[in-house]
Amino acid sequence: MTRPATPRANLLWATLLVEELARNGVDFFCVAPGSRSTPLVAALAANERARSLVHFDERGTAFAAVGYARATGRPAAWITTSGTAVANGLPAVVEAATDGVPMVLLTADRPPELRQTGANQTIDQPEIFGDYVRWRFDLPAPDVSVDPAIVLTTVDQAVYRARRSPSGPVHLNLMFREPFLPGPDEAPGEELAAPARWREGGGPYTRYAATKPALDPDEVEGLWEALRPVDRGLVVAGRLPSRKHGEAVLRLADSLGWPLLPDVGSQLRLGAASKNLVQYHDALLASDSFEEAHTPGAVLHFGGRALSKRLEKFLATSRPDPYVVVRENPFRLDPGHRVTHSVEADVVDLCTALAQAAERHPPAATASWTAGWREASERVDVYLDRVFEEARNLNEPLVARLVSRHIPEGHALCVASSMPVRDLDTFAASDGAPAPVAANRGASGIDGTVATAAGFARGSGRPVTLLMGDLALLHDLNSLALLRGLPVTVVVLNNDGGAIFSFLPVARHKAFFEPYFGTPQGLSIEHAAAMFGLDYEHPRSAAEFIETYRAACERNGPTLVEVRTDRAENVELHRRLLSEISQPRR
């Protein structure tokens, strides 16, 4: 039975929801078309402060929201219709939850009378994201008998829970009955109104105080007393959300006099300068003799997990004590089960406090310890320049190095999982621009990489380079439509398959490796560029790549730069480079 006030209640509640999100700073909406979410779209279209990104694929819009939040630190809202459209957001929700990326999920749903009745496009949505959301609420269908303030207080709680530590996705499941909207000429009805106090103000209905836990001075002193006697310590910068965080860690390493090992996601691997930075630690740790001679007595790790498996293994085997992990959330980061101190604290504040403690009570650092790491890293830098200058053809480590060296000032970099992010971590130049780096390394999937870059470009307001492999591109091919009108340069390393598997023991099983793991696709990336209206380039030498890449970065629109490589040659090159780096230097 149709309720006469249903369409007006739908529109009012949707209008309140969109406006309250905007008042809370959530003013960017990623939308995939669908019928059940019609009230939300109508409210979004009518709100002058709200901005929207519309794309035909729910998974793409969800990852665009992730990319936007990575760039801004603020959640974007994801709007989708009911049914499997909601399920398409799960990969992005998993990534956001695992890496602490805030987002607001707005999923339209059928009303209670249609649930579990066999009604079309109706699935069990309220718990669909499980424990991957920080908070969830199944909002009742709009009704004139329910105080609309419920919408405002629910939105305020959702945004607060998305942004407070541990930040992450929140889920509002929104039931709407048909008819969804009043007719274009119908009056809204006097019986429905927003709360007067809220209408007259400009802020959220419920304000949540932005507070953070204070550092305990006794805990800081106790931690410093454990670190101070160590003369062979290491600082590890894992994934960090901003350059501000990275620079705080860098200042602390300078105060301690310890080597700083920066992950590619630390915001320090590209364009940072310090006598303590050891950019090529991953390559150095390929040497058993280097590992044996550089066993640390203590480790101070900031941020998320570091990418390097060699570093992870090295620290687990070295058994440093103390082994301190500092994160801005309560989650355990200890895959080797070696951590002695896990500290939940603001990274910038704790770095400042430890640096001040080091000034009062200087550490027992050994200058030769840090110099040994630094000099070894500089030798790797010189070696890589020499080797790549002699290269006749483009290869994957060389492309990663060229991108890191030639990315323009003011640009940002997104990098896909699998080999591209590893090559950037290992081989990136140390003298390029300090570009912000975004990578979906929470769950380390190749899902939604193009869409993430599109969201990152919109959020950062910068031109963006996306470095990725061919399978990651094919996995998110339709998100190339999101790049239209954006200054995004997509550098695709096309080795015709899954290159990373060629580095694994399964590659020795020739009988089934190629069809099941190598998975050659034989598809034309040039045709994909044409289909989505992107400029296309195919450089074949380092000089040609540099010229092509610089020209692409100067355009206002998207360009796809394809570099074709050979998987077998790529594996051999990696092994040769690391073997030669591992040779003792006289």
Side-chain angles (χ1 to χ4, degrees), residues 234-238 249 259-263 299-304 306 311 315:
L234 290 176
V235 178
V236 175
V249 176
L260 171 56
L261 282 51
D263 181 79
V299 170
L300 188 52
H301 180 125
F302 289 92
L311 175 59
L315 297 181

Side-chain angles (χ1 to χ4, degrees), residues 184-312:
D185 300 324
E186 289 186 52
E190 296 181 359
E191 74 275 19
L192 300 175
R197 176 175 66 83
W198 180 82
R199 290 199 316 270
E200 294 165 1
Y205 186 83
T206 302
R207 294 185 180 274
Y208 283 85
T211 61
K212 60 182 180 181
L215 292 175
D216 185 331
D218 292 336
E219 288 289 340
V220 173
E221 287 298 325
L223 182 58
W224 178 240
E225 287 304 312
L227 296 170
R228 181 187 174 196
V230 177
D231 61 351
R232 292 164 61 96
L234 290 176
V235 178
V236 175
R239 293 193 312 280
L240 293 167
S242 71
R243 187 79 175 188
K244 176 182 176 183
H245 288 75
E247 289 175 348
V249 176
L250 185 60
R251 288 193 297 271
L252 175 61
D254 289 343
S255 297
L256 298 177
W258 290 4
L260 171 56
L261 282 51
D263 181 79
V264 69
S266 68
Q267 315 307 326
L268 293 172
R269 180 63 180 85
L270 306 182
S274 167
K275 64 182 184 299
N276 295 77
L277 270 174
V278 182
Q279 289 98 333
Y280 298 100
H281 59 275
D282 180 69
L284 291 172
L285 293 174
S287 166
D288 293 339
S289 60
F290 185 89
E291 284 190 358
E292 292 171 4
H294 293 81
T295 302
V299 170
L300 188 52
H301 180 125
F302 289 92
R305 190 181 73 249
L307 173 70
S308 171
K309 283 188 175 181
R310 282 184 281 269
L311 175 59
E312 187 175 285

Side-chain angles (χ1 to χ4, degrees), residues 18-65:
V18 170
E19 173 62 20
E20 190 70 345
L21 283 170
R23 292 188 185 194
N24 277 281
V26 183
D27 58 2
F28 188 73
F29 295 76
C30 299
V31 186
S35 176
R36 188 62 52 169
S37 52
T38 296
L40 294 171
V41 171
L44 175 61
N47 193 300
E48 294 181 354
R49 288 195 293 173
R51 297 168 297 137
S52 61
L53 180 156
V54 181
H55 181 52
F56 46 78
D57 176 25
E58 291 85 4
R59 187 181 68 175
T61 51
F63 272 104

Side-chain angles (χ1 to χ4, degrees), residues 67-83:
Y68 179 87
R70 286 196 182 281
T72 64
R74 304 192 310 273
W78 178 60
I79 294 179
T80 187
T81 190
S82 61

Side-chain angles (χ1 to χ4, degrees), residues 275-536:
K275 64 182 184 299
N276 295 77
L277 270 174
V278 182
Q279 289 98 333
Y280 298 100
H281 59 275
D282 180 69
L284 291 172
L285 293 174
S287 166
D288 293 339
S289 60
F290 185 89
E291 284 190 358
E292 292 171 4
H294 293 81
T295 302
V299 170
L300 188 52
H301 180 125
F302 289 92
R305 190 181 73 249
L307 173 70
S308 171
K309 283 188 175 181
R310 282 184 281 269
L311 175 59
E312 187 175 285
K313 180 182 176 183
F314 171 63
L315 297 181
T317 304
S318 301
R319 294 178 176 269
D321 188 1
Y323 188 158
V324 183
V325 171
V326 181
R327 304 192 72 189
E328 295 183 344
N329 61 57
F331 303 129
R332 176 170 60 168
L333 178 59
D334 188 15
H337 305 286
R338 297 289 186 266
V339 172
T340 63
H341 299 67
S342 184
V343 182
E344 181 185 358
D346 182 279
V347 167
V348 176
D349 289 350
L350 185 63
C351 285
T352 301
L354 287 176
Q356 292 171 348
E359 291 178 3
R360 295 192 299 270
H361 307 289
T366 303
S368 60
W369 163 252
T370 301
W373 279 89
R374 176 68 177 177
E375 290 166 6
S377 182
E378 289 173 349
R379 287 195 295 270
V380 173
D381 197 12
V382 172
Y383 164 80
L384 291 175
D385 273 344
R386 177 175 58 80
V387 169
F388 289 141
E389 282 175 4
E390 299 170 355
R392 294 184 178 180
N393 299 314
L394 287 170
N395 57 67
E396 296 183 23
L398 173 56
V399 170
R401 191 167 178 84
L402 291 175
V403 167
S404 67
R405 175 163 282 159
H406 294 283
I407 188 169
E409 288 277 353
H411 286 226
L413 178 61
C414 286
V415 58
S417 291
S418 292
M419 288 308 298
V421 72
R422 288 173 169 82
D423 282 343
L424 194 70
D425 191 56
T426 304
F427 300 110
S430 59
D431 56 356
V437 177
N440 287 336
R441 296 300 299 173
S444 302
I446 62 171
D447 318 69
T449 307
V450 177
T452 300
F456 194 74
R458 287 177 175 268
S460 67
R462 298 170 178 249
V464 168
T465 295
L466 169 59
L467 180 65
M468 67 189 313
D470 53 311
L471 292 189
L473 174 63
L474 293 173
H475 203 272
D476 196 28
L477 192 65
N478 61 11
S479 289
L480 288 176
L482 288 169
L483 302 185
R484 288 178 292 195
L486 292 177
V488 177
T489 301
V490 183
V491 178
V492 182
L493 301 166
N494 184 2
N495 50 52
D496 195 30
I500 193 168
F501 298 113
S502 298
F503 291 85
L504 302 179
V506 71
R508 298 196 299 266
H509 296 266
K510 304 299 184 183
F512 62 85
F513 174 77
E514 192 64 9
Y516 286 94
F517 292 90
T519 58
Q521 32 80 14
L523 299 175
S524 173
I525 289 177
E526 182 178 4
H527 293 169
M531 177 180 178
F532 288 97
L534 278 66
D535 289 332
Y536 173 82

